[in-house]
Structures are given as structure tokens and as C-alpha cells.
Amino acid sequence: MTKLWRNLPFLWIVFGVLLSCASYYGYQLLLDANGNAEQMTHSIESKKSSQRKQKKKVEEATYCPRQIKPVTPTAYAKAQLHYVEIVNQWGVGSLFIPSADIHSKILAGIDNQNLMVGVGTYYKAQQLGKGNVVLLAHNLVQGGGVLGNLRKTGLQQVFYLTDFTDVFEYVAEKNEIVDKSRGDLLDIPHVGKSAIVTLIRCEGGINTSNRAIVQGTFLKKYPASEAAEEVKAGLGLTEGRWISEEVSSDQQSVIQESTIPMVKEPIEKTKKPIYSTLQVLCIYLYTVLNETPIIVGIGYLVGLLALTHIATRIQCAY
């Protein structure tokens, strides 16, 4: 027992190193959170089904820019840990930029939590392939966020968006850093001009006035089922299954010989992004160390000094 007390300062140092490593691991998990969009897939839907589901989300979403606030690591971590719930509640599409390796869900509205886990729609009435589709995302955790690689987008390179029914192709025409006063980038194109999409995130530290923007011109749209496999994978799209509208499961064996009409039923193949208990602890540890570094640092040093004092006294006693 005496030997254990003598080694407590060393064990405390080891404990501190382990905490630091766990915190760094939690930080890396947050930076890699964009991979959630690749894990969570969505079945290709009919136009009618997609519009019915999206209408309610669009009507209930928040579109007030004044409510957008800088994001703390704690808020960001909480949003990532609830990624599936947020996407299921507000998801209306997907974005895939091959040249920048960006995979993101498109969420209705610009609520802070939406901008932390995907790209939010700036206008309530915007539609892919029409006007100016403005999509925003937070830039956080020292360069994290779903549009963290936005500046890597190659000019004249095609990127893709989907509403889960059709795929819309755009070609990148602008990749710039601009001042937040450039409201003209949010304008609807004049009559006769091509439809565009505008992707925006902050560039720099908290309260920066700079914005990174990529603007693309609409090329074409086509059914999602006809998209190349790599495009489907990039957008997180999966095929449904064919079922009969008029027969029971016991009659499925004779479907191929009948003229009974068939419809495609969406199958949700979501691979739910789940963090293990250890990963959750590491993420929360990172948020604590990031928000209260002085308090944690002082507490750790006080503990080290106290244990060193106790170990010294015990050693002198023997």
C-alpha cells in the first residue's frame, strides 16, 4: 500500500496523458463527423411521396438568419450525437461534391442544429434546378463542418444534388472568399439566366466577416434511378424493391406470370451512425477541456502537487 502511495504522482501523470489522448480522439471524431452523411442512406422515392414528406418539413422549418449564432464544441457534439434524429426530422435531400470529397444532407431551414450536421436551405420556396438554391453550413471545430473542404471544390467540375427523386447536376463557376455584405450572391437570377446553387460557410474564426462561397450553374436533371452508381453512393441513395399493389405476400410467387401492376416501395437502409460509449465519453471530454481549459489545468496541477506532497511525506516517514 505504501508503494502505491509513493507512485501516485506518476500514476496521476499517466492519467493526465490518457485524458489528453482521449480528448484528442474525441476531437478527431468531431472532425470526421461528415462521414455520417455517407453512412446514412435514403431510398429513391416517387415524386408524389417525396413532395408529401418534404412539404411538412419545409413549412415547419426556421428561416430567420438572425437566429444563427456561433457554435460551441458542446453544442456541436450534441448535434452530432443526435445526427440521425435531426436528419430524419428535417432532411429534404443530399449534396455530393466529388472534387472536394463533400457528402452532406440537405436540411429544411437554417436552424443552428441543421447547420451543424448538414447544409440548410436559406429560402423557404427554393427548388433544385430553379432560381438560386442557397445552402449554408457552420464552419466550426477548427475547420470542421460538412463544408470544411468547400475551398477544394474544382472550377468547371460537376457536383450533384438530389431531392431523393431526381438528381440535379451543377458545374462550379465560382470559388471565392467574399465579405458577408455580398448580399447579391443570394439574389435570384434574372429572367433568361441559368438557375444556380450557392454554397456558403464562414471563413475564419468566430464572428469573422469572411465567407467561403462556391456557386454552380445548373446543367440538367434526371431520375435518381438513372444516376451512375458512384453518384448514387455519393448522395447516399439506394434503390427500393418492387412489390405488387394488389396481391398478398402468399401470392408473390405468381407475380412474374401475371399482369398485376407493380410499384416501387422505398426501403430504408440507414446504417445508423452510432458512437460507442467510449467515443461518447471522449467527445464530451473534449468539450469540457475545450470550454474550461484553465479550470481543468489548475485542478490537474493542484492534484499533482497534492499527491507529490503526500508521496514525499510517506517516503520521509520510512
Side-chain angles (χ1 to χ4, degrees):
M1 190 65 176
T2 301
K3 185 176 181 180
L4 175 62
W5 279 101
R6 290 175 179 174
N7 289 327
L8 275 181
F10 172 75
L11 295 176
W12 186 253
I13 292 174
V14 172
F15 176 67
V17 172
L18 291 175
L19 283 183
S20 298
C21 291
S23 173
Y24 181 74
Y25 177 55
Y27 165 70
Q28 289 299 318
L29 288 172
L30 292 179
L31 285 184
D32 294 337
N34 190 35
N36 285 340
E38 297 179 71
Q39 294 184 56
M40 187 173 181
T41 59
H42 194 289
S43 294
I44 297 172
E45 299 183 15
S46 67
K47 196 71 174 178
K48 185 176 180 180
S49 173
S50 179
Q51 288 178 341
R52 184 178 66 251
K53 292 178 181 179
Q54 294 187 15
K55 182 178 179 180
K56 186 174 185 293
K57 297 177 181 180
V58 170
E59 290 296 327
E60 295 179 353
T62 299
Y63 297 92
C64 179
R66 291 191 298 273
Q67 60 83 42
I68 300 177
K69 298 179 177 63
V71 178
T72 65
T74 299
Y76 182 55
K78 183 177 180 180
Q80 292 302 327
L81 293 173
H82 292 84
Y83 181 91
V84 172
E85 292 90 333
I86 294 172
V87 171
N88 282 337
Q89 183 175 5
W90 301 111
V92 294
S94 297
L95 164 71
F96 173 41
I97 306 180
S99 60
D101 192 26
I102 289 176
H103 308 256
S104 175
K105 301 306 180 187
I106 301 173
L107 308 178
I110 51 176
D111 187 277
N112 251 16
Q113 66 172 8
N114 290 6
L115 305 188
M116 285 185 272
V117 302
V119 292
T121 56
Y122 186 78
Y123 293 118
K124 182 176 182 179
Q126 66 188 34
Q127 297 180 51
L128 295 177
K130 298 180 180 180
N132 183 6
V133 176
V134 181
L135 302 174
L136 290 72
H138 272 305
N139 179 34
L140 61 169
V141 193
Q142 286 116 14
V146 296
L147 294 183
N149 290 337
L150 188 62
R151 294 286 292 149
K152 297 180 180 180
T153 302
L155 292 179
Q156 304 306 315
Q157 298 296 306
V158 174
F159 58 96
Y160 309 87
L161 294 91
T162 184
D163 57 3
F164 302 134
T165 299
D166 296 311
V167 169
F168 299 77
E169 290 189 2
Y170 289 81
V171 60
E173 302 284 357
K174 290 183 181 179
N175 186 343
E176 304 173 358
I177 302 295
V178 301
D179 188 80
K180 66 179 181 180
S181 61
R182 287 286 306 278
D184 59 294
L185 295 170
L186 308 179
D187 293 344
I188 306 299
H190 296 298
V191 176
K193 295 287 187 179
S194 298
I196 59 176
V197 62
T198 304
L199 306 172
I200 305 174
R201 68 162 172 80
C202 294
E203 179 71 15
I206 294 178
N207 298 320
T208 177
S209 63
N210 292 326
R211 301 290 184 266
I213 69 103
V214 164
Q215 205 164 64
T217 301
F218 176 63
L219 288 179
K220 60 181 178 179
K221 82 168 185 176
Y222 45 86
S225 58
E226 298 178 7
E229 290 304 317
E230 58 268 25
V231 174
K232 290 180 186 177
L235 291 169
L237 294 174
T238 59
E239 294 282 355
R241 66 185 173 190
W242 290 101
I243 63 167
S244 170
E245 288 185 300
E246 301 179 9
V247 299
S248 66
S249 58
D250 295 333
Q251 297 171 306
Q252 295 298 315
S253 59
V254 298
I255 281 179
Q256 292 181 350
E257 299 177 6
S258 71
T259 58
I260 296 172
M262 306 287 286
V263 296
K264 216 166 199 180
E265 176 189 75
I267 303 175
E268 195 60 49
K269 293 184 178 180
T270 300
K271 179 183 177 184
K272 187 174 181 179
I274 300 175
Y275 293 109
S276 68
T277 301
L278 175 61
Q279 290 174 325
V280 171
L281 290 174
C282 290
I283 289 174
Y284 278 116
L285 178 60
Y286 167 74
T287 63
V288 171
L289 294 180
N290 186 273
E291 293 195 334
T292 58
I294 296 177
I295 294 176
V296 173
I298 291 175
Y300 179 78
L301 289 176
V302 169
L304 180 60
L305 290 174
L307 291 175
T308 301
H309 178 69
I310 292 173
T312 302
R313 293 189 59 180
I314 291 176
Q315 187 172 2
C316 292
Y318 287 90

